[in-house]
Amino acid sequence: MSAFAKWLAQACQEAGMRAEQYGAKVRIIASSHFLTEEVECRSDSDGDLRWWWSWGKPIAAGNDSARILTPDEVDDLVDAIARVVAVPIRRRP
């Protein structure tokens, strides 16, 4: 699980996000420093490894919310995480 976390942290960094690995967890900090998310690689009830949001839900594919992502689907994971932490900040007029 730590190897998957390291892989994900590196992929997030390559995508321009600040990511720190803590064992099987990865903390992703948006460039604006307003949004931070921590995801964790752990088994689901069937014993399959999955990535989990900090609020306890498994991470699903952005284009198919019924498809839960596996730890191997790093590109899709980075996209899903970026949608959460890289929300553009609205500027006041």
Side-chain angles (χ1 to χ4, degrees), residues 5-22 25-29 31 74-75 77-79 81-82 85:
K6 182 177 181 179
W7 190 21
L8 179 61
Q10 290 172 341
C12 286
Q13 291 166 353
E14 290 171 11
M17 294 179 272
R18 193 169 122 211
E20 303 165 350
Q21 178 195 356
Y22 301 94
K25 292 183 180 181
V26 177
R27 178 175 297 144
I28 302 96
I29 303 164
S31 59
V74 173
D75 292 337
L77 284 163
V78 170
D79 288 343
I81 291 166
V85 300

Side-chain angles (χ1 to χ4, degrees), residues 57-73:
K57 297 289 183 185
I59 300 176
N63 58 353
D64 181 2
S65 61
R67 185 172 68 86
I68 303 300
L69 298 174
T70 67
D72 291 332
E73 296 176 283

Side-chain angles (χ1 to χ4, degrees), residues 39-50:
V39 297
E40 180 180 14
C41 185
R42 61 181 166 86
S43 299
D44 64 12
S45 60
D46 295 327
D48 296 321
L49 284 180
R50 302 287 184 215

